[in-house]
C-alpha cells in the first residue's frame, strides 16, 4: 500500500514514511493512493473477531509492511490498557446507540489511536531501519495531549512535547497533562487558542532551521496529531466494528445500512467514518456535528469555508477549532485527486481566510455529509434529556452529537459516537443536569459521582493529589526553541 500527498499526487511513499514523518514534505497530508476494499467475506470473517483483532485486520489492509500477526500483537498490547471492551455499543432506545470510545487510559476517544500509534511507529521504524530519535510535537485542544503523553511516555527512541491553549481546556484535562510522569515528556501552555497552537506546530514541520538543529541532537520530527495517517487507521476500525456489533447482535442484517453521528473538530474522527464507508461498510448518513464554532456546518451547507469569525470558547472545548486540518484529505477526494486544486484552496485559506469549492462540488459534499451544529443551550438540554429520560450520562461533546443527530434517528439505526467520559467535564455535566457546581474541581467530581452514580476512575480522582510538573506558559514564537531545548535534554539522557 503506497501513499501520496494531497498537495502532490505524483509523490509515492511507503506507509512507514507516511507514519514516521506525519506530514508530507510539501505541507500536504498523506493519503492512500488507493483505499483498500473490504469484501463481504472480509466482513463476515471479522464478525467472529474481537476488537483488537478487527483493528489489526483493518490496519493490515493499510500497512502491508507489517503482517497481520505483527499487527495483532500491537493491537492486543495497545487495547490491553483499556477497561474492558475498547468500543462497546450501548443501546438506549430502539434505534439509538452510543459507541463509547472513552474506556482507555485518558478517558477520551483519542486513546483509540494514540495507544496504538507509538507501537506502530516503533515497529515501522524497525522495518525502515530508522535510527533517529522521534521527536513529537503535539498541539492539543484538550484530549490529544494526555493521550499522546500516555502513549509515548517511556517509549524508547521517542520524545513528546505537548502544547495546549492556556485557559482553553477543562480543569481535569489540564491536570491530566501537567502531572504526567516520565523522562521523555514535556508540556507547555500556549498564549493563544487551539488554532494558534496547531499553526505553530505545523510550522515546525516546514522549518529548515529546526530540522538542522534537531539533526545535531540526532532527532527527527514526527507528527502525532490527527493529521498522521497512523492515527486514522485505528480509527477506521471502530466504524467497522460498530457495524459488525449491530449485525452480530441481530439488530440489522449484513448489508443493511446504518448511520453515524460524529461530534467533530479537526475532522479526523468523521474522516475515518467516511473512509470506512468508502472501504465498504454500509453507511447511509454521516452526520458532522459541530458546536457554536460552526465553520463546518456552514461549509457543508454553502461550499464556502471561512475562518473570518470569532473563535468561541464552549463547553465542548475539544471541538473549539476553526481550521479543521483533516478536511484537506476529503477535499482531495472531492477534487478528483487533483492536488493542484487542493493546493490552491489551501493557499487561499492561508492568504484570505476563505475558499469556495463552487456549487457543483458543494452539492457532492452534501451527498457525503449532513452538517449541523448545537448551541450551548441545546448541548445542555441534550445532557439533561438523556439523563432524565434514560438515566444515561454523556459528556458535552457527545451531547453536541446527540443534539444534532437525533433529528435523523427515526430513519433507521443510528450510532452516536461518544468521544469522552463525562468525568472529564464534571462541572459542565453537573450544571446541565440541574445541580450546583462546587468551585473545587475535586469536589465537583465527587458530587458527580454521588448524584449520577457514574463511576469515577481511580486515575482521575488521584490526579488532584499529584504534583504539577509542567507550569510554563509560552508564546507561539517560543515553540521551536523550546523543542530544541527538549531535544538537547533527551540527548543528554541517552
Ligand atoms: C478530539 C475530540 C473531538 C473532535 O474530534 P476530531 O477528530 O478532531 O474531529 C470530539 N470530542 C472529543 C471529546 C475530543 O477529544
Amino acid at each position: 500500500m503506497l501513499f501520496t500527498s494531497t498537495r502532490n499526487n505524483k509523490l509515492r511513499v511507503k506507509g512507514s514514511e507516511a507514519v514516521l514523518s506525519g506530514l508530507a514534505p510539501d505541507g500536504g497530508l498523506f493519503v492512500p493512493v488507493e483505499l483498500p476494499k473490504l469484501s463481504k467475506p472480509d466482513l463476515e470473517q471479522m464478525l467472529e473477531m474481537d476488537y483488537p483483532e478487527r483493528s489489526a485486520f483493518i490496519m493490515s489492509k493499510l500497512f502491508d509492511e507489517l503482517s497481520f500477526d505483527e499487527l495483532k500483537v500491537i493491537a492486543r498490547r495497545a487495547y490491553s490498557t483499556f477497561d474492558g471492551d475498547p468500543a462497546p455499543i450501548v443501546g438506549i432506545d430502539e434505534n439509538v446507540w452510543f459507541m463509547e470510545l472513552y474506556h482507555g487510559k485518558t478517558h477520551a476517544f483519542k486513546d483509540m489511536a494514540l495507544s496504538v500509534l507509538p507501537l506502530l511507529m516503533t515497529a515501522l521504524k524497525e522495518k525502515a531501519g530508522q535510527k533517529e530519535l522521534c521527536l513529537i510535537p503535539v498541539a492539543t485542544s484538550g484530549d490529544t495531549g494526555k493521550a499522546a503523553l500516555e502513549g509515548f511516555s517511556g517509549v524508547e527512541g521517542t520524545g513528546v512535547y505537548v502544547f495546549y491553549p492556556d485557559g482553553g481546556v477543562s480543569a481535569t484535562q489540564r491536570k491530566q497533562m501537567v502531572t504526567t510522569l516520565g523522562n521523555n515528556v514535556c508540556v507547555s501552555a500556549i498564549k493563544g487558542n487551539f488554532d494558534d497552537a496547531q499553526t505553530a506546530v505545523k510550522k515546525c514541520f516546514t522549518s529548515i532551521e529546526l530540522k538542522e538543529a534537531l539533526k545535531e541532537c540526532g532527532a527527527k520530527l514526527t507528527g502525532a496529531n490527527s493529521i498522521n495517517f497512523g492515527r486514522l487507521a485505528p480509527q477506521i476500525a471502530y466504524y467497522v466494528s460498530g457495524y459488525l456489533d449491530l449485525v452480530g447482535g441481530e439488530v440489522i442484517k449484513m448489508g443493511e445500512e446504518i448511520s453515524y453521528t460524529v461530534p467533530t473538530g479537526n475532522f479526523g474522527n468523521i474522516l475515518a467514518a467516511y473512509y470506512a464507508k468508502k472501504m465498504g461498510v454500509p453507511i447511509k448518513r454521516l452526520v458532522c456535528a459541530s458546536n457554536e464554532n460552526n465553520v463546518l456546518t456552514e461549509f457543508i451547507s454553502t461550499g464556502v469555508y471561512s475562518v473570518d469569525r470569532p473563535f468561541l470558547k464552549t463547553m465542548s472545548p475539544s471541538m473549539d477549532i476553526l481550521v479543521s486540518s483533516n478536511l484537506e484529505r476529503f477535499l482531495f477526494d472531492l477534487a478528483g485527486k487533483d492536488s493542484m486544486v487542493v493546493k490552491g484552496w489551501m493557499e487561499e485559506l492561508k492568504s484570505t481566510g476563505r475558499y469556495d469549492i463552487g456549487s457543483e462540488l458543494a452539492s457532492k459534499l452534501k451527498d457525503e455529509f449532513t452538517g449541523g451544529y448545537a448551541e450551548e443551550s441545546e448541548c445542555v438540554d441534550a445532557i439533561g434529556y438523556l439523563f432524565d429520560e434514560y438515566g444515561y450520562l454523556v459528556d458535552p461533546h457527545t451531547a453536541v452529537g446527540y443534539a444534532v443527530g437525533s433529528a435523523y434517528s427515526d430513519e433507521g439505526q443510528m450510532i452516536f459516537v461518544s468521544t469522552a467520559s463525562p468525568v472529564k467535564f464534571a462541572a459542565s455535566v453537573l450544571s446541565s443536569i440541574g445541580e450546583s457546581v462546587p468551585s473545587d474541581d475535586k469536589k465537583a467530581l465527587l458530587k458527580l459521582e454521588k448524584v449520577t452514580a457514574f463511576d469515577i476512575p481511580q486515575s482521575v480522582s488521584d490526579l488532584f493529589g499529584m504534583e504539577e510538573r509542567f507550569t510554563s506558559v509560552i508564546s507561539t514564537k517560543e515553540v521551536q526553541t523550546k523543542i530544541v531545548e527538549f531535544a538537547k535534554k533527551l540527548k543528554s539522557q541517552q
Side-chain angles (χ1 to χ4, degrees):
M1 158 79 27
L2 291 172
F3 289 76
T4 187
S5 161
T6 51
R7 298 195 199 173
N8 171 14
N9 61 13
K10 303 277 184 313
L11 185 78
R12 293 290 179 275
V13 301
K14 285 187 188 170
S16 51
E17 189 174 338
V19 172
L20 293 170
S21 39
L23 199 65
D26 47 55
L29 309 189
F30 287 116
V31 283
V33 172
E34 202 74 59
L35 206 60
K37 291 272 184 261
L38 293 168
S39 64
K40 195 154 179 253
D42 281 341
L43 289 172
E44 263 152 16
Q45 195 188 338
M46 285 178 78
L47 201 52
E48 308 304 319
M49 301 177 183
D50 65 3
Y51 189 83
E53 203 173 346
R54 285 176 181 173
S55 169
F57 189 86
I58 296 296
M59 288 194 284
S60 70
K61 294 261 177 190
L62 294 157
F63 301 117
D64 52 11
E65 287 160 86
L66 297 169
S67 69
F68 183 35
D69 282 337
E70 285 171 309
L71 287 160
K72 264 196 280 196
V73 173
I74 289 176
R76 290 229 179 274
R77 217 178 116 194
Y79 292 115
S80 70
T81 61
F82 278 59
D83 185 10
D85 183 351
I89 301 272
V90 178
I92 62 162
D93 212 335
E94 212 172 313
N95 287 340
V96 182
W97 304 82
F98 285 86
M99 179 158 63
E100 296 178 350
L101 300 178
Y102 58 73
H103 297 290
K105 265 179 153 173
T106 77
H107 317 293
F109 87 94
K110 304 295 198 290
D111 290 324
M112 297 299 295
L114 279 164
S115 57
V116 174
L117 187 67
L119 306 174
L120 193 61
M121 274 184 177
T122 312
L124 288 171
K125 210 171 148 182
E126 211 164 280
K127 292 271 167 185
Q130 186 184 310
K131 298 271 187 296
E132 293 109 321
L133 178 90
C134 287
L135 208 143
I136 303 152
V138 174
T140 183
S141 56
D143 291 321
T144 297
K146 181 59 175 180
L149 291 164
E150 276 303 321
F152 286 99
S153 174
V155 175
E156 213 172 301
T158 69
V160 62
Y161 198 145
V162 169
F163 302 93
Y164 72 90
D166 192 26
V169 302
S170 83
T172 302
Q173 286 177 316
R174 183 183 157 276
K175 260 291 190 209
Q176 281 185 310
M177 290 188 273
V178 302
T179 57
T180 307
L181 301 173
N183 290 326
N184 65 332
V185 299
C186 194
V187 181
S188 287
I190 288 265
K191 290 178 208 144
N193 60 36
F194 171 72
D195 286 333
D196 300 322
Q198 177 159 262
T199 305
V201 165
K202 269 188 159 180
K203 267 193 194 148
C204 295
F205 287 88
T206 46
S207 161
I208 311 274
E209 294 103 75
L210 182 61
K211 193 174 176 178
E212 289 302 317
L214 289 177
K215 210 170 172 183
E216 281 176 27
C217 307
K220 198 179 155 197
L221 282 189
T222 302
N225 268 95
S226 65
I227 48 181
N228 190 318
F229 198 86
R231 289 268 304 269
L232 280 173
Q235 290 187 257
I236 296 171
Y238 50 76
Y239 289 102
V240 184
S241 183
Y243 182 82
L244 294 175
D245 282 350
L246 289 188
V247 174
E250 296 182 355
V251 177
I252 52 166
K253 290 201 175 63
M254 187 68 97
E256 209 175 305
E257 286 184 322
I258 66 162
S259 296
Y260 277 106
T261 294
V262 189
T264 305
N266 223 2
F267 209 77
N269 204 358
I270 195 160
L271 184 79
Y274 162 78
Y275 280 160
K277 181 176 176 178
K278 277 188 59 170
M279 287 172 77
V281 180
I283 295 175
K284 178 196 185 100
R285 192 186 285 280
L286 280 177
V287 182
C288 173
S290 302
N291 64 24
E292 289 179 356
N293 291 295
N294 57 0
V295 56
L296 285 167
T297 313
E298 187 183 277
F299 179 57
I300 293 167
S301 91
T302 65
V304 177
Y305 196 97
S306 169
V307 295
D308 182 19
R309 55 173 71 230
F311 184 102
L312 303 170
K313 280 190 186 175
T314 71
M315 58 194 279
S316 46
S318 303
M319 291 155 65
D320 290 345
I321 294 174
L322 294 182
V323 185
S324 299
S325 293
N326 263 300
L327 185 61
E328 185 170 335
R329 288 192 163 105
F330 175 70
L331 293 175
F332 183 69
D333 277 6
L334 197 62
K337 307 200 172 183
D338 187 334
S339 47
M340 289 314 288
V341 171
V342 175
K343 202 171 164 190
W345 288 331
M346 293 302 116
E347 278 166 7
E348 254 180 77
L349 181 66
K350 207 168 160 193
S351 59
T352 69
R354 78 194 285 278
Y355 59 86
D356 183 344
I357 61 171
S359 58
E360 199 180 314
L361 293 184
S363 114
K364 275 199 198 162
L365 164 66
K366 256 187 239 170
D367 291 342
E368 295 292 348
F369 298 100
T370 303
Y373 76 100
E375 292 180 355
E376 291 292 88
S377 62
E378 294 172 301
C379 174
V380 168
D381 289 349
I383 295 174
Y385 173 77
L386 287 169
F387 187 64
D388 291 345
E389 202 69 22
Y390 301 100
Y392 188 67
L393 202 62
V394 298
D395 93 291
H397 303 78
T398 309
V400 164
Y402 186 77
V404 174
S406 51
Y408 308 99
S409 56
D410 56 1
E411 290 176 350
Q413 301 300 332
M414 166 74 82
I415 299 181
F416 294 91
V417 176
S418 184
T419 52
S421 163
V423 305
K424 286 191 101 163
F425 305 92
S428 302
V429 172
L430 271 176
S431 70
S432 302
I433 58 173
E435 298 286 339
S436 64
V437 183
S439 60
D440 178 275
D441 298 324
K442 180 156 192 202
K443 288 200 179 114
L445 261 180
L446 293 175
K447 181 164 179 188
L448 185 70
E449 181 163 49
K450 196 160 155 235
V451 299
T452 65
F454 194 95
D455 264 339
I456 306 293
Q458 186 77 31
S459 61
V460 175
S461 42
D462 284 352
L463 278 180
F464 293 87
M466 287 175 75
E467 182 207 349
E468 297 196 357
R469 297 180 65 209
F470 305 102
T471 51
S472 68
V473 183
I474 63 168
S475 76
T476 52
K477 286 201 194 78
E478 293 171 87
V479 165
Q480 299 193 8
T481 34
K482 288 285 175 190
I483 289 176
V484 175
E485 273 172 35
F486 180 53
K488 285 185 180 148
K489 184 193 142 210
L490 290 174
K491 190 181 177 203
S492 71
Q493 270 168 207
Q494 275 182 339

